[in-house]
Amino acid sequence: MGRWICRLCSRVADSLMLLLVLALSCSPSAAATASPSAPQTKPSYSFGRTFLGLDKCNACIGTSICKKFFKEEIRFDTWLSSRLKLPPSYLLSYSGNYTDDAQSWRLVDITRLTTKYQHDRADKRICTSLLKTKTCSLERALRRTQRFQKWLRAKRLTPDLVQGLSSPMLRCPSQRLLDRIVRRYAEVPDAGSIYMDHLTDQDKLRLLYTLSVNSHPILLQIFPDVEGWPFPRYLGSCGRLVVSASTRPLSDFFGAAPEVAADLALQLLAVLRSMGTNDLNYFFYFTHVDAGTFGVFSNGHLFIRDASTLGIIDKEEGSQLIDGQQEYKDIFSCLTVDCESAFVSCNSIREKQNLVMVCQELLPKLLKGKFLQPVQEKIDSFVQHCIDGLADDQDVNEALAKLTELLKPLRSCDSRFAYRYPDCKYSDKY
């Protein structure tokens, strides 16, 4: 009897368990509890090929930093949420953030070589002048040109291949300078060779296009900051966007304290001195200077922020193009400037023009009314003498030395000038 009762209890328990399982399987709330949680989707930021300019490659600058954009390791300052759209494409430059480890971020400048309007106008000019159509494949059109066909056959970048390009850097080229461009072109794997064997056809078109539109990124590559040149670090390009280390324009400091103004003015003079006298025996000259030409890093160090108006004369080899050869012009000469523009003669360039331009455009805004008399009067007198024009190139060194002596006692040594602090506490030169 007892065994029968035990068996009956066991069957009842099994039935109750089965009913419970069935009930749980039919219950919506139970099913929801038992199912795994929905996967969290990571916000995705969509880059259009048009925004980057990748739709125009290989009539573009390069692709070396595209992965950073698509992996969200480069972000725009105003683009920190998936709800925010990309900034307007018509801007010339953007402030951004860059990371190598997704933990620490640093400021970068993201710039176009020209405005999008100028790019679009140049693209239309290529199609209408070369193929007589409103739209076309830019790469196919440029490949057909006589200049690019010469580039394809060339083993070495020679002066005749860049003649007539509007970039000031190439108006008075030497073979030594052109070899440096090929050897240090950062959009291709480093071959360390002066010959163009390691450049593909696409690489050659990108290099030619960049030199034709704006040589700024090339200057940053061939004269890097790590070697002491006064340029921000080149980080890479994607389509028609260039990424470099961030600087604030000098115009932000026109209202700075007297000791900051004196420090920046002294750095300006040091940069001008290095442009005329350096180990490689190149003379860098400005064709134009404005408040955005120079920039200041967060540590107070002053650099050339915009190198697009810089020309170069090789004091060791001299120019390998006579002025008549500069007059050769084709579609590559006219991408960003009026084809009718006359080239400046190499023989007409003087070393004093850098200092005169800086005196005219920058020093009065930086130094006016900052110091006590009679120092302020001496500074103003010097700047006015400079604006009126210096006697000759020899006078440049004397003028630089004179203004340097006036400004040196006016700067201070503290943490605001991180690029030289605390070294200045233990050095007589400060």
Side-chain angles (χ1 to χ4, degrees), residues 216-422:
H216 170 79
I218 303 299
L219 270 159
L220 269 55
Q221 294 169 44
I222 66 176
F223 297 108
D225 67 309
V226 293
E227 294 180 4
W229 298 99
F231 302 107
R233 181 165 302 179
Y234 177 81
L235 298 172
S237 300
C238 184
R240 290 179 169 180
L241 291 179
V242 179
V243 183
S244 58
S246 177
T247 59
R248 290 175 59 192
L250 184 62
S251 55
D252 287 0
F253 297 86
F254 285 163
E259 60 272 20
V260 175
D263 182 82
L264 292 174
L266 280 166
Q267 289 191 72
L268 265 175
L269 300 182
V271 168
L272 296 184
R273 194 176 292 110
S274 70
M275 291 172 66
T277 305
N278 51 73
D279 292 343
L280 294 185
N281 217 15
Y282 288 116
F283 167 53
F284 298 80
Y285 66 92
F286 286 111
T287 57
H288 173 76
V289 166
D290 58 36
T293 301
F294 294 90
V296 183
F297 284 132
S298 57
N299 65 357
H301 206 171
L302 180 137
F303 279 66
I304 297 173
R305 188 172 191 249
D306 179 6
S308 63
T309 63
L310 271 183
I312 300 177
I313 292 179
D314 191 334
K315 295 197 291 186
E316 190 171 298
E317 286 190 4
S319 170
Q320 309 224 347
L321 277 182
I322 61 174
D323 290 334
Q325 288 177 292
Q326 291 179 328
E327 298 304 321
Y328 171 87
K329 291 179 181 178
D330 61 1
I331 188 65
F332 290 101
S333 311
C334 313
L335 291 181
T336 57
V337 297
D338 183 359
C339 283
E340 303 305 316
S341 300
F343 290 121
V344 176
S345 167
C346 298
N347 296 327
S348 68
I349 298 164
R350 297 288 179 265
E351 292 197 19
K352 67 178 183 179
Q353 73 184 50
N354 286 335
L355 182 56
V356 171
M357 285 183 181
V358 167
C359 286
Q360 290 173 339
E361 300 297 329
L362 301 179
L363 290 184
K365 298 170 185 174
L366 191 62
L367 301 176
K368 193 73 174 176
K370 291 289 176 70
F371 310 103
L372 298 175
Q373 299 296 355
V375 173
Q376 184 70 57
E377 185 179 353
K378 291 179 180 178
I379 292 174
D380 293 343
S381 174
F382 167 83
V383 172
Q384 188 57 54
H385 170 65
C386 178
I387 291 173
D388 293 339
L390 301 170
D392 51 39
D393 291 340
Q394 182 62 36
D395 200 23
V396 172
N397 293 327
E398 296 174 8
L400 284 170
K402 182 177 179 181
L403 185 56
T404 298
E405 288 305 310
L406 283 172
L407 292 171
K408 264 187 176 181
L410 302 176
R411 65 177 177 176
S412 64
C413 177
D414 58 62
S415 57
R416 285 176 298 172
F417 312 101
Y419 78 95
R420 59 181 174 87
Y421 181 85

Side-chain angles (χ1 to χ4, degrees), residues 5 11 15 63 69 77 109 117 127 146 152 155 180 189 192 208 222 236 242 253 266 279 283 308-309 318 428:
I5 291 173
R11 287 176 182 171
S15 299
T63 56
F69 279 104
D77 264 2
D109 289 333
Y117 168 76
C127 293
Q146 182 180 2
L152 289 179
K155 291 290 185 181
R180 190 176 182 87
L208 173 56
I222 66 176
V242 179
F253 297 86
L266 280 166
D279 292 343
F283 167 53
S308 63
T309 63
D428 293 336

